[in-house]
Amino acid sequence: MIKYHYIARSPTGKKVKGNLKVEDEKELFEIMVEHDYKLLKYRELKKHRDFFSLSTITNSDLMSFCENINMMLKAGLSLKEAIRLSKDVIHKEKFRKVLIDVEINLAKGKSFYNCLNNHPNIFSNFFRTMIYLSEVSGNLKDIFDYLISYYRFDINIKKKLLNTMFYPCLLLILCVAVIVVMSTIIVPSFVSIFNEMNVELPLITRIIISISNFISNYFIFILLFLILFIFSFYLYCKTLKGKKMLDKYKTKIIILRKFTQVIITSRFCKSLKILIDSGLPIVNCIEICSSLMENEFLKEKFIFAVDEIKRGSSISMALYSINFFPSLFTETLYISEKTANLSYSLKVLGQIYEDDLHNRIQRLTTIIEPMLILFIASIVIILLIAIFIPLFSMLDNIGVY
């Protein structure tokens, strides 16, 4: 399949831009003629990688899309009409072009699942599988309720984590600003006074002055080094090797491990329940859930878990062998497999770990904020002590007291 970028004029006279995957130029012209579009210009698109795309399609965009489609399908519109109307309210050009391509392929008689398969970078394997199952069962309307619930849950988790870290990050920036101002402006002004008066400086003051001189003399180099280091680390974490290394530390460091464990377990329960309820075989459910994981280190471990299930192992034992999930999770799965009540157990477990996550986030906020405030206060107090001890000594020597 060749991807073309085209500019065409619609039957209403409006100029339309978009991308389309076709076999050759002939098929491109045929599609335009079929839809009464007049092709003005087109070119073949080359594949390229974009690290900093401003038009990245997020889970919020997908949830909004699902909500729009769900509302229109329940109002009695056909899928083609729902897609056509949905693309008109999409603000991101990249997403709108994808929906134009989906609309054109639907008009050609392709299934919704096959249309989405042309855009695996936009629609995840989970999303496409749910659509496929809904088309097979003729239950397309209801499946969007599941998808909306899944994406809303995922978005809420990320929002809570971002809101939790916003204030601590602000305090950390304030802390850095205080250190820089004290080191480059306040401390040097007192140093000149101490040197003029030949004041004997205590050890803490000499240390602070040495740090201040280092920051003042090499501030530009320190700043450039930090920017270069952060940028290089960011690019490294974008690679598979870098992401795998970072994800591994998330599962090993005690504080991060607990958060990672609760987040992944709650998401896993949610997605696995939806897939099991859709009637998909359990092996396929586990495979799709593993593909949804953002943790590359655990994703590799899931390959062995899937192999264990294929060889006849129970789900609970296979997941226990990963050595990551909480004992409550694996033990409850073991009991629910025996009682054939897996879907309900996953629902309850999902709610338990979602509540646990919210409590952990709240506790983290309660602990981090006062700790950072104390840290900033400690730095300011140390700097003040380092300045005022020799200052009082100087005043004492000149007979002020």
Side-chain angles (χ1 to χ4, degrees):
M1 299 285 281
I2 305 170
K3 193 173 184 180
Y4 288 98
H5 176 74
Y6 66 85
I7 300 173
R9 197 172 297 282
S10 69
T12 59
K14 186 180 178 182
K15 192 177 281 189
V16 185
K17 297 178 183 179
N19 296 330
L20 195 61
K21 282 184 179 179
V22 290
E23 294 294 338
D24 50 30
E25 294 180 9
K26 183 182 176 183
E27 187 179 356
L28 178 66
F29 278 101
E30 288 175 353
I31 291 171
M32 292 297 159
V33 171
E34 184 182 343
H35 292 86
D36 293 328
Y37 277 65
K38 184 181 179 181
L39 191 61
L40 303 175
K41 194 186 293 184
Y42 68 94
R43 61 183 172 85
E44 184 180 339
L45 289 176
K46 303 293 182 183
K47 289 184 179 178
H48 67 282
R49 191 168 182 177
D50 185 7
F51 280 106
F52 303 102
S53 174
L54 296 175
S55 60
T56 303
I57 297 166
T58 63
N59 282 352
S60 295
D61 299 319
L62 291 172
M63 188 182 78
S64 297
F65 169 71
C66 289
E67 285 174 336
N68 290 335
I69 296 292
N70 190 39
M71 178 183 66
M72 285 183 272
L73 288 178
K74 288 182 176 179
L77 274 69
S78 67
L79 180 61
K80 290 179 187 177
E81 291 173 317
I83 296 291
R84 181 176 60 80
L85 292 171
S86 290
K87 79 174 191 298
D88 293 333
V89 297
I90 298 294
H91 297 295
K92 291 185 178 178
E93 186 66 19
K94 183 179 178 181
F95 200 9
R96 197 172 67 82
K97 288 174 181 177
V98 167
L99 294 182
I100 289 171
D101 180 61
V102 170
E103 181 190 6
I104 291 170
N105 282 302
L106 279 173
K108 289 168 67 176
K110 290 185 178 180
S111 68
F112 190 29
Y113 169 74
N114 287 329
C115 294
L116 299 182
N117 257 350
N118 292 333
H119 307 281
N121 294 330
I122 307 299
F123 302 102
S124 66
N125 186 29
F126 172 76
F127 191 103
R128 288 179 281 126
T129 302
M130 295 303 292
I131 294 299
Y132 171 76
L133 293 170
S134 67
E135 286 186 312
V136 170
S137 63
N139 197 25
L140 189 60
K141 292 179 183 178
D142 295 333
I143 210 67
F144 281 104
D145 288 325
Y146 283 114
L147 289 170
I148 291 165
S149 172
Y150 173 80
Y151 284 119
R152 184 176 287 120
F153 168 75
D154 192 64
I155 290 163
N156 286 338
I157 287 176
K158 289 179 178 177
K159 276 184 178 178
K160 281 184 178 292
L161 288 172
L162 285 173
N163 291 337
T164 301
M165 296 311 297
F166 175 75
Y167 185 62
C169 287
L170 195 65
L171 287 175
L172 199 60
I173 292 167
L174 178 63
C175 177
V176 173
V178 167
I179 293 170
V180 170
V181 169
M182 293 287 282
S183 301
T184 58
I185 298 173
I186 297 173
V187 173
S189 64
F190 280 96
V191 169
S192 60
I193 297 171
F194 297 150
N195 289 336
E196 286 176 11
M197 302 298 294
N198 293 322
V199 178
E200 186 179 348
L201 302 175
L203 177 62
I204 187 171
T205 307
R206 294 200 299 271
I207 292 170
I208 294 297
I209 290 171
S210 299
I211 295 170
S212 172
N213 289 336
F214 179 78
I215 294 173
S216 298
N217 295 333
Y218 301 102
F219 179 72
I220 299 298
F221 297 103
I222 293 170
L223 187 63
L224 288 173
F225 172 77
L226 287 173
I227 292 170
L228 184 63
F229 175 78
I230 292 168
F231 182 72
S232 302
F233 184 72
Y234 172 78
L235 290 181
Y236 178 67
C237 289
K238 281 284 185 180
T239 64
L240 182 61
K241 185 179 178 182
K243 193 173 188 311
K244 200 176 291 182
M245 181 204 72
L246 192 65
D247 289 340
K248 183 178 180 180
Y249 283 119
K250 285 180 184 177
T251 62
K252 299 297 180 184
I253 299 171
I254 296 174
I255 298 173
L256 292 177
R257 178 182 169 86
K258 288 293 182 183
F259 262 96
T260 306
Q261 191 180 57
V262 174
I263 290 169
I264 288 177
T265 305
S266 57
R267 282 178 178 167
F268 183 80
C269 290
K270 190 84 172 177
S271 53
L272 185 59
K273 181 193 181 304
I274 292 171
L275 290 167
I276 287 174
D277 287 347
S278 67
L280 200 65
I282 193 65
V283 175
N284 299 93
C285 292
I286 300 293
E287 284 178 330
I288 293 168
C289 287
S290 65
S291 71
L292 288 172
M293 283 200 174
E294 295 175 358
N295 191 299
E296 294 294 334
F297 177 69
L298 285 177
K299 195 180 285 187
E300 277 192 352
K301 288 194 168 189
F302 258 89
I303 296 171
F304 299 104
V306 171
D307 289 339
E308 287 292 318
I309 295 170
K310 286 179 179 177
R311 284 197 288 265
S313 175
S314 65
I315 304 167
S316 55
M317 290 306 296
L319 296 179
Y320 177 78
S321 66
I322 295 174
N323 192 28
F324 173 76
F325 288 103
S327 56
L328 172 65
F329 173 76
T330 51
E331 287 168 7
T332 306
L333 280 190
Y334 176 78
I335 295 167
S336 62
E337 282 181 291
K338 296 291 183 184
T339 58
N341 200 18
L342 191 58
S343 177
Y344 177 74
S345 297
L346 287 168
K347 180 183 177 181
V348 174
L349 285 169
Q351 191 59 52
I352 288 171
Y353 286 109
E354 186 179 351
D355 294 339
D356 186 26
L357 178 62
H358 294 163
N359 292 333
R360 284 179 183 275
I361 291 171
Q362 189 63 43
R363 286 200 303 270
L364 183 69
T365 308
T366 308
I367 293 168
I368 286 178
E369 288 179 10
M371 282 180 66
L372 280 172
I373 291 169
L374 283 172
F375 179 66
I376 295 170
S378 301
I379 291 171
V380 173
I381 289 168
I382 290 168
L383 288 169
L384 290 174
I385 289 171
I387 291 170
F388 279 105
I389 287 176
L391 185 63
F392 288 142
S393 176
M394 182 187 71
L395 293 173
D396 188 50
N397 288 337
I398 62 176
V400 171
Y401 291 101

